[in-house]
Structure formats: structure tokens, C-alpha cells
Amino acid sequence: MLPKNDIADRGAVRMSEGPNIVLIMCDSMDGRVMGCMDHPAMAHATPNMDRLAEEGVLFSNTYSNSPLCVPSRASMWSGKYVHHCEAWNNFKGLEEDTPTFQTRLEDAGYIAKTFGRTDYLSGRHTIRARVSAWTRSANIMRPNFRMEAPEILSDRRERVHNRDWDSVEKCIEWMRYASSPKSPFMIHLGIGAPHPPFVTSGKYLEIIDDGGVEIPPADESRHPALIYQRTIKNWMHGFSGEMIKKTRKIYFAMIAEVDGMVGKVMDHLKESGLDKSTFVIFTSDHGELAMEHRQFYKQSLYEPSVRVPLIVAGPGIQRGKQVKDLVSLIDIYPTLMSLSQASCPEGLNGQSLMPLLKGEKDNRPDIVFSELHADSLNTGAFMLRRGKWKYVTYVGMEPQLFNLEEDPWEIDNLATSRKEEVKKMDALIRKIVDYEKVDAKVKEYDKTSFREWRQKQKEVGTYEDVMARIFSGWDHLADDEVTPWTDADEDKIKAWLGEN
């Protein structure tokens, strides 16, 4: 353990040995919901994120590689699109021996530490998460989720999300006493908030500008993907204006709590002198719909679900700069290689953000790509953003085309009226991925995985009971809340598997 008085001296010498890196990744944060993004409810709610943006570069058009936890994180850690690293769902991520940016930095001499949530490896999450993902294209129109009602705690406590605060404190403690002055470090700090359930305290709720908490316009679309998502996600608390606003305000307050955690890390870096030699990156794995399009949760290619925050600050880069170029979490891996001056492996799908961080010309394409093969979406979906246009193609369903400048809420699907634009966007996305081929591959994986699991469940006599619970909402179910698994349900499974 290092003596406390050694800490202040480290910042002055670290750059000669390589800079430190602190990567803070929260969970389910819409990248548009910050004061520095001029969100009308957040002017006083994110002072630390805003301070980080003042000290570095704010990327105001950043997208998740996939708006679901494990695929997004696996893609970021491997530096490869989901259809390349094959992290299809929350059960199927990277395997233990897959090279990541962490192993690359460790090879370059970095001490790498993780605190809190990483969530990019295979084999995690619940039975529900894997089975509902595998069976999505069977179109079982029954709920998979149960979410508690939004809650405001009766006091003004600072620590609502205690596990996250514990991770922050462990991270700071390690930097204070355990990090070596002889080697640079890379820390990944995973914060679970503002992931649902929606819960906050008066301390955070009162700093949200109530007048800036907009109620999204009603989305009357009957697109089959939306019908399936709304059924599966199973929001049980109604869609009154009061409920929508309450949910959104609590979600914004949860972001304010995350801001406090970011501030604790920033304050320690400043007080210890490590800020002089440390890059700080703040981002999220994906966003949160927060009642837009009559949905909560992620697993959608609409903006609130697929947009994420990205702020980078540190020595030698621009201060107080906003970059509007389209970027993605796929760019994090090569950026970490640039920041650390480690060699970058071949075959990565992203590009380093270093030119943009330094205000230099950049040759990146003017497009950004995302994809989704999730349990609450019954087919593969692939997204391309270019300029004001956003195109989403669903395998086997009609596509969507939105003009984000004129329609930021994504209500008016222009795919029928702007067929030439659809043709252009589809051609661009096909240069990245053969999406029908990828979708067929994922669906075959789904069927194979489900058949194996189903056979084992039948052998021990638990199949019908587990399926009933999964397709009754799964979480926190009393016995009388379970809808039995019926012959009609099983017939859909058999038809999907080709057993009829």
C-alpha cells in the first residue's frame, strides 16, 4: 500500500510513462439528457458532466453499437460490430479468452482494474433473458417483463443506488492507495444507474426543471415491431400524462445521481493531482426510452434508446469543444489505443477519435451504424444514421425512415413517401452488413439454443412451468399471477421450430 503523501506527486511524472485512463460507463443513459446538451429539464442537474464537457470534448451525436447491455459492451470491448463478435443477446456475449482493449493495454504495460459492472461476457443474466431472446421470432404475444411502479423515496437521501456508490468509492480508494506510481493505469468504472426500475429521492428530484420534462407526442404507429415490443415489455402502470411525466422526471433525477458519482471521481483526480496525467471518458452502453413511443426500457433503435453520452477530457486535447460528427461506441477501442499510444490491432471496425479530440481533420465516414437482435424485438433490426436521415430496416417487416431535423420525436415514418432516400440508405447499410444473412444466422442460433434448453427442461419436467413464468412477466411473480403455458402457446413454438 502506498503512503498517502505519495499520491500528489504522481500526476507530475505520469505522462513520461504513459497517461492514465478512467473510463466511466453508466447503464441506460439517453445521451441527450444533460445540461451541456441543452436539455430543458437538466440545466442544474448535471454540473459534473457539464464540467467535464468544459474541460474536454463533448460528442453530441454518439450512438450505441446495439441498444442492449451485453451486445453493446461486447462490441465496445472487442472493437467489432455485433455481427462480427456475435454477441447476439444478454446471454451470448464474448467468451472469456476473447482479446479486448483491456488485454491490449495490459500487454502495453498498463495496470487494468474494473469496478462495478462490465457485463460483456457470455453466460450471464437470467433464464428469462436467454429464452425470451431465443424465442422472439416465434411471436409469442405474452409479456416477458414486469417493472415496478416509479417511486420517489420519502427522504432526501444522497445514496439511492448504493451499489454504484460503493463501486465509486472502491475505485477512488484504489487510486488513492493501491495504484502503482511506476505504471499507468486503466480503470473501467461501471455504474448501474440510471437503469430501471425508476426510483429516486427528493434530493435529486427537486433539481430537475419540471417545466422542461416534456411529454412525448403520442405514437399511433401500428408497425409490427412496436406492437410486439409493447406487448413483451408489459408496462403495467398506464400512459396518463401524469404517469408519463412522473416516470420521465424520476429517470432524469436518476441521471442527476449518476452525475454526483462522476463528480466524486473528478474531484479525487483534481485533489490528488492525477488530473494532469489522466484521460477521463464518460459514456453509457445504451439509452432508455423513458415512455417515448409508449415504451420504457431499451432494445429499440429510436433515438432515446440508441443515443448515448460521450465526453472525453484529459491532457493535450481541446477544452470546451462540442463535436457534432457522428461517432459510436465502436470508436472507443481505437481511441484508447491512441490515448495510451499502444499499438492498435488490425480488424477493428471503429476509428480513433483522436483527430477530433485535437481539432484536426478526420477522414471518418459521415454515417453511423447500429443493430439489434433482442428479446423484445421479434426480428433483426439494423440502423443507419446519415446527416438528418435515420433509416431502420427490419428483416421481414417494413422499414422506417425519419428526418431527425424536422421530426426529432420520430413519429412520421417517411419510408413510403421517400422511396429514393430509402434506396440510398439501404445501399449504404448493405455495404456494412448483409443483414438478411446475419439475421438468418442469429435466428438459427436462437432455434439451436432453444432446442437444447427445451430438451433438458422436458427431461426434468420443468419446461411448461418455466415457460409459463417467462411469458407471464418472470420477475416477482406470485403463483396466482402466472398464466399457464397452453397447447396454443406450444403450437406456436412447434411451428417456429418446424415440428408441425
Side-chain angles (χ1 to χ4, degrees), residues 220-260:
E220 305 297 338
S221 170
R222 300 293 297 170
H223 192 286
L226 271 68
I227 294 172
Y228 184 81
Q229 286 183 315
R230 291 166 181 162
T231 301
I232 294 298
K233 290 182 178 180
N234 187 34
W235 179 255
M236 303 166 61
H237 312 294
F239 294 96
S240 67
E242 180 182 2
M243 175 54 70
I244 290 173
K245 186 165 185 176
K246 178 181 180 180
T247 304
R248 288 174 66 77
K249 188 172 182 179
I250 291 173
Y251 172 65
F252 296 164
M254 292 166 68
I255 291 174
E257 184 174 1
V258 172
D259 182 82

Side-chain angles (χ1 to χ4, degrees), residues 46 52 64 75 251 270 292 314 377 432:
T46 55
L52 191 63
S64 172
S75 180
Y251 172 65
K270 182 71 172 178
E292 292 190 38
L377 185 62
I432 298 172

Side-chain angles (χ1 to χ4, degrees), residues 120-182:
Y120 63 86
L121 295 175
S122 290
R124 275 62 172 176
H125 289 265
T126 63
I127 292 173
R128 184 216 62 79
R130 64 194 74 170
V131 174
S132 58
W134 293 335
T135 57
R136 62 201 168 96
S137 59
N139 285 300
I140 308 296
M141 299 295 285
R142 290 179 49 169
N144 284 173
F145 296 87
R146 285 172 67 93
M147 182 54 61
E148 297 93 330
E151 182 181 7
I152 303 169
L153 301 178
S154 59
D155 57 22
R156 298 184 69 262
R157 72 184 69 175
E158 178 182 16
R159 294 175 59 130
V160 179
H161 296 86
N162 285 304
R163 184 179 297 179
D164 292 330
W165 284 104
D166 289 345
S167 296
V168 170
E169 289 175 354
K170 289 175 182 176
C171 171
I172 292 173
E173 188 75 2
W174 186 85
M175 287 192 289
R176 180 174 289 126
Y177 297 126
S179 57
S180 168
K182 297 180 181 179

Side-chain angles (χ1 to χ4, degrees), residues 391-457:
Y391 174 67
V392 183
T393 180
Y394 302 86
V395 176
M397 300 178 186
E398 62 180 304
Q400 293 174 317
L401 179 71
F402 299 107
N403 182 331
L404 295 180
E405 290 182 359
E406 298 178 0
D407 179 27
W409 294 101
E410 299 168 285
I411 299 297
D412 187 12
N413 181 9
L414 303 175
T416 300
S417 61
R418 299 296 298 264
K419 292 183 178 180
E420 284 302 312
E421 195 63 43
V422 167
K423 187 176 179 180
K424 291 177 186 176
M425 296 292 278
D426 195 73
L428 287 172
I429 209 168
R430 287 181 183 278
K431 290 182 178 180
I432 298 172
V433 60
D434 182 340
Y435 56 78
E436 290 99 346
K437 183 177 180 180
V438 168
D439 180 67
K441 182 177 184 178
V442 182
K443 287 175 179 172
E444 187 57 38
Y445 151 83
D446 290 342
K447 289 180 180 180
T448 299
S449 301
F450 179 74
R451 283 192 188 102
E452 294 175 356
W453 176 85
R454 178 175 175 238
Q455 181 61 35
K456 291 178 181 177
Q457 293 296 310

Side-chain angles (χ1 to χ4, degrees), residues 185-370:
F185 61 77
M186 190 286 293
I187 289 175
H188 177 277
L189 172 59
I191 296 172
H195 192 290
F198 301 102
V199 57
T200 192
S201 73
K203 173 181 174 64
Y204 299 106
L205 199 70
E206 68 187 17
I207 59 177
I208 306 301
D209 185 340
D210 186 75
V213 183
E214 299 171 296
I215 297 179
D219 186 348
E220 305 297 338
S221 170
R222 300 293 297 170
H223 192 286
L226 271 68
I227 294 172
Y228 184 81
Q229 286 183 315
R230 291 166 181 162
T231 301
I232 294 298
K233 290 182 178 180
N234 187 34
W235 179 255
M236 303 166 61
H237 312 294
F239 294 96
S240 67
E242 180 182 2
M243 175 54 70
I244 290 173
K245 186 165 185 176
K246 178 181 180 180
T247 304
R248 288 174 66 77
K249 188 172 182 179
I250 291 173
Y251 172 65
F252 296 164
M254 292 166 68
I255 291 174
E257 184 174 1
V258 172
D259 182 82
M261 300 176 200
V262 172
K264 291 289 186 183
V265 176
M266 293 177 64
D267 289 346
H268 170 73
L269 293 173
K270 182 71 172 178
E271 292 163 4
S272 65
L274 287 169
D275 62 314
K276 299 179 181 66
S277 57
T278 302
F279 289 102
V280 178
I281 303 171
F282 173 71
T283 190
S284 182
D285 54 353
H286 50 73
E288 160 63 45
L289 285 157
M291 310 311 293
E292 292 190 38
H293 305 279
R294 293 177 69 86
Q295 292 187 48
F296 78 106
Y297 215 47
K298 57 247 184 177
Q299 299 195 31
S300 166
L301 291 166
Y302 287 120
E303 290 290 280
S305 173
V306 77
R307 283 279 288 276
V308 295
L310 180 59
I311 309 172
V312 184
I317 64 174
Q318 298 182 97
R319 294 175 62 91
K321 176 70 174 179
Q322 181 176 156
V323 172
K324 296 183 179 180
D325 298 55
L326 296 170
V327 301
S328 165
L329 294 181
I330 204 71
D331 299 319
I332 295 295
Y333 190 146
T335 301
L336 290 172
M337 299 302 102
S338 294
L339 294 176
S340 64
Q341 299 181 4
S343 61
C344 195
E346 296 181 358
L348 302 185
N349 292 128
Q351 292 184 223
S352 173
L353 299 173
M354 186 61 82
L356 297 176
L357 290 169
K358 291 190 171 183
E360 300 170 353
K361 290 184 178 180
D362 187 61
N363 63 351
R364 71 179 45 248
D366 60 344
I367 58 175
V368 70
F369 169 79
S370 187

